Amino acid sequence: AAEAAEAARAEAEAAERADRAVAERRPLQAAVAEGEEAAAEGRVARAALASELELADSHLEEAHRAAQAWCSQACSLGSQLGPLPGKLSALEAALAAEQRRSAQLSSSLDTARDSTRRE
């Protein structure tokens, strides 16, 4: 009878420890689920950002081509008109400035694109 009582007490203690372990796991399981959900949201946001960067890059390339064409036409017209003091050099300066600006924007987009790929 004493052995049966001891076994029943040991079984009750084991059941109590198991109940405590299950109760302690619940918050951890909830935290893991929240972490997985946040990670999924992060992946969706990163994909959206990559798509926006791709679109911005396309628009930049289009704007760059248009600016180069405009500057080329303007310089060509300027050379056909002959030397106009200051005007042709201003157009050439505008072309150089546009090329620098375009290169900077392209570099910024490349940097942003690279950072989204690393994440």
Side-chain angles (χ1 to χ4, degrees):
E3 289 177 7
E6 180 64 28
R9 189 177 58 76
E11 188 177 318
E13 286 175 2
E16 187 178 315
R17 283 192 304 272
D19 289 344
R20 278 195 307 266
V22 167
E24 289 172 359
R25 275 186 64 193
R26 283 189 186 116
L28 296 174
Q29 289 172 327
V32 167
E34 287 177 20
E36 289 172 347
E37 184 178 333
E41 289 173 1
R43 286 189 294 274
V44 168
R46 187 174 73 200
L49 179 58
S51 177
E52 288 177 26
L53 283 172
E54 191 173 313
L55 182 61
D57 189 35
S58 172
H59 289 162
L60 174 65
E61 288 175 11
E62 193 175 303
H64 178 63
R65 282 191 299 275
Q68 282 184 323
W70 179 85
C71 287
S72 178
Q73 288 174 351
C75 288
S76 176
L77 178 61
S79 67
Q80 289 173 10
L81 293 174
L84 300 174
K87 293 193 177 186
L88 186 56
S89 61
L91 288 173
E92 289 170 341
L95 174 60
E98 176 58 31
Q99 287 172 337
R100 283 192 303 276
R101 183 177 158 277
S102 181
Q104 288 172 341
L105 287 171
S106 182
S107 175
S108 295
L109 279 171
D110 288 344
T111 301
R113 190 178 306 109
D114 289 345
S115 71
T116 59
R117 288 181 184 147
R118 281 182 287 214
E119 293 176 7

